[in-house]
């Protein structure tokens, strides 16, 4: 029994049902397959292509050092600041990448990076208001070795912010790599400096970082 009032006439299923039923079996299967394809296309458009909140988008940089990573909402692409090769972020969090160029050194990077990081920490203390070193140590992102500095500082408006700076190299003896900055203000999700990069959009970007232009 139709739920449509008689004066409005038959429904679309009532009109098409008998016609579809008279089609050959092969034609009915083709119509069913076409409907399934339309459904798949809608799901792709909403959740995979980039319109859905769970969609991930890739950032690919080819020069002067090749790397890529992905990000998701609420992060968006942002204009790189001075010296940056790429930047994404939200209203108050940011993930940026600069070129890392190490001076000539002997041995492998595992021995040199801690010494180089100590030099950078002194520079950061000069450049960042309220800079406080929290920790540092070896870093490993997707089997790519490096060294990280965890810190806090004050933004121009006085807001307390936490950061994780990762010096990452594509090989043990490389001199060119990536200088990665992940920064976020103190919040219920980030209550201490070491939380930066361990949840939310910053985790997605940091943990997806790879040298080269190919995604796995």
């Amino acid at each position: 029994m139709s739920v449509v009032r008689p004066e409005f006439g038959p429904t679309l299923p009532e009109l098409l049902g008998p016609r579809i039923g008279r089609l050959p079996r092969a034609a009915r299967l083709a119509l069913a397959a076409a409907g399934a394809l339309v459904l798949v296309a809608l799901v792709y458009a909403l959740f995979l292509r980039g319109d859905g909140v769970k969609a991930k988008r890739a950032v690919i940089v080819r020069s002067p050092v090749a790397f890529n990573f992905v990000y998701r909402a609420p992060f968006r692409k942002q204009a790189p600041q001075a010296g940056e090769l790429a930047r994404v972020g939200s209203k108050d969090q940011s993930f940026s990448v600069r070129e890392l160029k190490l001076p000539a050194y002997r041995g492998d990077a595992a021995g040199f990076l801690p010494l180089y990081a100590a030099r950078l920490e002194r520079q950061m203390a000069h450049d960042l208001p309220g800079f406080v070193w929290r920790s540092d140590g070896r870093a490993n992102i997707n089997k790519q070795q490096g060294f990280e500095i965890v810190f806090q500082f004050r933004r121009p408006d006085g807001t307390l912010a936490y950061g994780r700076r990762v010096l990452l190299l594509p090989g043990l003896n490389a001199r060119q790599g990536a200088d990665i900055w992940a920064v976020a203000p103190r919040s219920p999700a980030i209550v201490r400096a070491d939380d930066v990069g361990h949840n939310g959009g910053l985790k997605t970007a940091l943990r997806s970082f790879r040298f080269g232009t190919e995604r796995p």
Side-chain angles (χ1 to χ4, degrees):
M1 178 178 174
S2 174
V3 296
V4 178
R5 293 170 58 183
E7 58 264 32
F8 293 118
T11 63
L12 185 60
E14 290 172 339
L15 287 172
L16 297 180
R19 293 175 173 81
I20 294 176
R22 289 194 294 270
L23 291 174
R25 184 172 182 273
R28 295 198 302 271
L29 290 175
L31 283 174
L37 287 175
V38 170
L39 179 61
V40 169
L42 286 173
V43 171
Y44 173 82
L46 290 174
F47 296 101
L48 299 178
R49 189 184 64 185
D51 297 330
V53 296
K54 295 183 179 181
K56 294 180 180 179
R57 301 189 181 211
V59 173
I60 300 175
V61 174
R62 292 179 169 81
S63 178
V65 55
F67 64 85
N68 69 89
F69 62 88
V70 299
Y71 66 96
R72 59 179 174 82
F75 276 27
R76 296 179 178 274
K77 261 191 175 182
Q78 297 179 347
Q81 297 183 5
E84 295 177 349
L85 302 177
R87 169 179 279 259
V88 298
S90 60
K91 181 180 179 181
D92 53 7
Q93 298 187 7
S94 65
F95 179 87
S96 61
V97 185
R98 298 171 171 86
E99 178 187 14
L100 174 64
K101 295 180 69 175
L102 298 178
Y105 61 89
R106 293 182 179 181
D108 61 37
F112 177 74
L113 281 177
L115 301 176
Y116 187 73
R119 188 187 312 172
L120 293 181
E121 289 166 11
R122 291 192 292 271
Q123 185 64 44
M124 293 166 70
H126 178 269
D127 295 340
L128 299 176
F131 174 84
V132 177
W133 170 92
R134 285 303 183 186
S135 67
D136 59 32
R138 292 185 179 183
N140 186 321
I141 300 176
N142 295 317
K143 299 181 179 180
Q144 300 159 135
Q145 304 299 315
F147 196 85
E148 66 179 11
I149 304 166
V150 179
F151 60 96
Q152 71 180 53
F153 68 102
R154 293 282 176 177
R155 287 177 165 170
D157 63 359
T159 302
L160 177 62
Y162 296 132
R164 183 182 298 274
R165 184 177 184 180
V166 185
L167 311 175
L168 205 62
L169 294 170
L172 290 177
N173 302 112
R175 290 177 55 193
Q176 184 187 45
D179 182 358
I180 303 170
W181 291 64
V183 176
R186 180 182 172 87
S187 68
I190 300 177
V191 298
R192 56 196 180 97
D194 195 53
D195 291 335
V196 174
H198 287 171
N199 55 53
L202 288 175
K203 178 181 178 180
T204 299
L206 183 60
R207 294 303 167 188
S208 66
F209 184 94
R210 285 176 170 82
F211 288 106
T213 58
E214 298 294 327
R215 294 298 306 162

